[in-house]
Amino acid sequence: MKIIIAGDGKMGATLTRQLSAEGYDLTLIDANLMALESSEERYDIMVVQGNCASMEVLEQAGIGEADLLIAVTGADEINLLCCMTAHGMNPALHTIARVRNPEYSDQIYKMRDMFALSMTVNPEKQAAVEMERLLKYPGFLKRDTFAQGRVEIVELRISADSRLCNVALNDMNNIVKCKILVCAVLRNGTAIAPDGNFVLREGDRIFVTAAARELTLLLKNLGVITHKVKRVILCGGGRVSYYLAKLLHRSGIDVHIIERNAERCLQLAAILPEADIIQGDASSQFLLEKEGITDCDALVTLTGLDELNMIISLYGTSCGVPQVITKLGRMDNTNILGNLSIGSIISPKELCSNTIVRYVRAMKNQTGAALTVHTIADGQAEAMEFVVEEGTRYLGRPLKELHLKKNVLVACITKGAAQEIPNGDSHFEQGDTVIIVTNGKKGIYQLNDIFE
Amino acid sequence: MNYKMMGRFIGKMLIVEAVFMIPALLISLSGSEYNAVFGFGVSLLLTLLAAGILLLAGRGSKKKFYAREGLVCVGLSWAILGLLGALPFYISGEIPDFVDAFFEIVSGFTTTGASILTEIEGLSKGIIYWRSFSHWLGGMGVLVFLLAITSAGGGDNGFTMHLLRAESPGPNVGKLVPKMKKTARILYLLYIALTVLNVIFLLAGGMPVFDAVCTAFGTAGTGGFGIKNDSIAGYSPYIQNVCTVFMLLFGVNFSCYYLLLLKQFKNVLRDEELKLYLGLAAGSILLITLNLRGFYPTLGETVRHAAFQVSSIMTTTGFATTDFDLWPAFSKTILFGLMIVGASAGSTGGGFKCGRALLVIKSLRRSVRKVIHPEKVQVVRSNGHPVDEKILQNVNAYLAAYAIITLLSFLLISVDGFSMMTNLSAVVACFNNIGPGFEAVGPTCNFAGFSWFSKLVLILDMLAGRLEIFPILILFSRSTWKRR
């Protein structure tokens, strides 16, 4: 499949990494030759320098034979124009545009139809949604939803005083008293597929499959105090802040936004009448204390500088803020950050890139394609959701009789409204939803790919 | 440096070389040339052994591979390709001196066509085939071949770009399609198709099959090893003309052929390099024909010889139909100039390349204008598109490296006591992968008279010329071998 990516920035580079690993024919367009050269050096792709909305450049990139165009330049308008132009040149083309200006976000569905876009993505909005979900369940570092919200894979950190510390997985059920499955463990930056004898240690990050309705019970039995978040401080008043403040306000949560730029503060105050906008430097401890960091329920760092976000989050944790979320825009390498106590890490570009990769996979394989794909364990593992179809092999045969590929784990089977954490006797039936966890290197595109 | 990965890569390349020795072995077998059979048999086993050791040593290598590894890999691959490729000559005893055998095969793989042999027709058929085949494999590049058939280690890695850049000459090499494997395949398919076409045309002229295939290999790689002592001179005018046309065709940037296949005729016709290349060829033929009035009995013969020599020298092939060393000075000087300019970028030919010459002239013109009108901001354009300053810098650096290496080699080989013209043309002919030069290394003579030291210098020149200098230069740079 031929894919053209317009814009070789943070987002474009992340997409290139993910899509080239899956073996698509990629062509990158950007005006900046330096960025293109470094991408060309790293991946097996073709590059074209120029303005992606110009027909000549699109022609040069081979728009006529392309199947998909992804426009992720810095400017929404260019992205839209690029998609419209390209679609005009090749009506069979699928187009995805990144549109992130909040002023367009209400009209985006109409625009999608008017401009014949296949999909629009908004990384900042997506990040805000993700953060809101985390704020609803303090205690989890990350939540990925499957089976229309009925199953989740959540990330937990094992701290020294955790009830799970130094416990073997076989004995875990006695403590949590609900059906869960540890599908991956991240220890010292490496993902491990654990077996029953695996003993959890301090500092491990575990990825657990559980039914959504059991999450509260899980947290309670683990001794993680769940309290309702009432007051949140957002550092930085960018687009994510705006979207998040809107969402939080809807859930009745009190929001304080600290933003340095006076003009931006005025804008925010105009569009977010319900939030408290504070003008000041969020890196100043005095200001944070004055705004009550010591008794807020959550701190979310959303400034444009990754370093600053990390420092403020560290400070927040040291002040005893129960839940901290850190936004990282640029950093790829989250595994070196795993040991820092900066709470949950949300990377808008990763979230958005995952959404696009999901679309691409579905496009490639219309039938039997994964419904959802989430990368977990810092991108070292993938969790995919499939529907068991008529053509699925070994229907009704217990799992213990089947030969699954190495590093493939069946994490959950959803039968109707009931979720089943599988054991050797579980089996697939037509209509089931299955969650598979792999190390992401096996090239699994359909459910049948998991069998040897 | 990721030595394991490099070992694996070179090991794979050696397997390719070993496989290509099999046809030569079979030809020797069918001709009952037992010395050559022995030579090829032992070489094949040794090559496979070396490949096996490298592949074993490279087991479990990490995937990290960067520009430095890529370039070093190219340089080393070619040196090792030559060392093992020389074995059949040496072991069969047909070229008893190893430095001579090494010189001959490097001359083959780099498509130079400079020979140390005085008596070619006395060689066995298998050896002649191997000699000519080395041109064909070296012409498009053995690493490009490797890229076409395997993923070369890193499936989604971009480092393969450096391999293509190193083997596919030119200032600004890009892929034809997003995937390297497909690009390499397209290049080789075009190459094979043109070679087959060449063979058919030669056969139509009544050339024996073996001669036609070997001559086509020499033409396709723009190499120039003939299978007769007098190169192409003994064949009919028709065959000579076929060679003229095909040499010119193989000196064209292969992406032009790809564009023709895509029916983008306009882009091909507008290509400045193609225009310069064909224009230079036509102009040179015209001038030499005028200069050679009365040298040959008929005008037709004059044009034929002029055209053949011009296209042979310009594409850096090095076939000859006549002893152009006897031509008047003006014609010889034109040929000398063509030796340096060379063929087009992205072709199988060598030399400085028309595309680079074009950029050098354009940036020179800009500098001159800048002196007159310093405030004027000027951009160098090629085919109507602005050329990036980095490319211009690289081209100028290439020119400097090119000049320095030529002068240095010229100095080093002059200790042998040949005339200045011999030495200079020997260096130019080897460095630009042409083959014959003037005077003592002219089309009727050979390189046998040089000392082994000079031969080693010329071997390095040939490799540097074929790989566009930098992959060979960095092998001698200390910072290459330093730990990161």
Side-chain angles (χ1 to χ4, degrees), chain B residues 155-169:
Chain B
D156 56 328
N157 204 312
F159 82 86
T160 49
M161 201 58 210
H162 297 287
L163 307 183
L164 182 75
R165 285 220 175 106
E167 279 204 336
S168 189

Side-chain angles (χ1 to χ4, degrees), chain A residues 24-26 37 42 44-45, chain B residues 158 175 179-180 182 390:
Chain A
Y24 301 109
D25 285 359
L26 293 185
E37 277 181 352
R42 287 179 67 182
D44 192 6
I45 51 161
Chain B
K175 295 181 194 171
K179 280 266 172 294
M180 179 56 79
K182 250 187 236 167
K390 223 168 109 188

Side-chain angles (χ1 to χ4, degrees), chain A residues 2-3 17 19-27 33-34 37 39-46 49 56 59-60 65, chain B residues 65-67 154-162 165 173-182 385-386 388 390-391:
Chain A
K2 292 203 170 74
I3 302 174
R17 173 165 57 77
L19 292 176
S20 84
E22 303 205 356
Y24 301 109
D25 285 359
L26 293 185
T27 305
L33 195 65
M34 287 274 280
E37 277 181 352
S39 296
E40 198 179 25
E41 173 132 337
R42 287 179 67 182
Y43 310 109
D44 192 6
I45 51 161
M46 198 158 101
Q49 188 197 7
E56 195 194 338
E59 192 67 59
Q60 222 180 323
E65 297 89 48
Chain B
F65 214 71
Y66 303 101
D156 56 328
N157 204 312
F159 82 86
T160 49
M161 201 58 210
H162 297 287
R165 285 220 175 106
V173 177
K175 295 181 194 171
L176 303 172
V177 292
K179 280 266 172 294
M180 179 56 79
K181 197 169 178 173
K182 250 187 236 167
H385 297 291
D388 196 68
K390 223 168 109 188
I391 291 175

Side-chain angles (χ1 to χ4, degrees), chain B residues 355-468:
Chain B
R356 269 205 196 91
L358 205 62
L359 290 179
V360 167
I361 294 167
K362 283 184 175 181
S363 71
L364 186 65
R365 193 173 59 185
R366 176 173 69 165
S367 303
V368 171
R369 284 186 186 158
K370 196 119 196 153
V371 173
I372 305 167
H373 199 161
E375 293 81 15
K376 188 171 169 185
V377 177
Q378 305 172 74
V379 175
V380 173
R381 284 171 184 276
S382 160
N383 292 333
H385 297 291
V387 179
D388 196 68
E389 286 303 317
K390 223 168 109 188
I391 291 175
L392 289 180
Q393 272 172 28
N394 285 344
V395 168
N396 286 326
Y398 188 84
L399 179 63
Y402 182 89
I404 290 170
I405 289 179
T406 306
L407 281 178
L408 203 65
S409 314
F410 181 34
L411 181 73
L412 286 176
I413 71 162
S414 50
V415 291
D416 280 3
F418 287 99
S419 75
M420 273 180 80
M421 193 58 210
T422 303
N423 290 335
L424 182 61
S425 68
V427 167
V428 167
C430 283
F431 192 31
N432 294 306
N433 302 140
I434 297 155
F438 297 105
E439 296 188 5
V441 291
T444 56
C445 313
N446 60 59
F447 286 72
F450 283 103
S451 67
W452 65 264
F453 172 74
S454 298
K455 278 177 190 155
L456 286 181
V457 171
L458 292 175
I459 285 172
L460 279 178
D461 280 348
M462 289 192 274
L463 285 172
R466 173 64 184 87
L467 302 176
E468 307 243 283

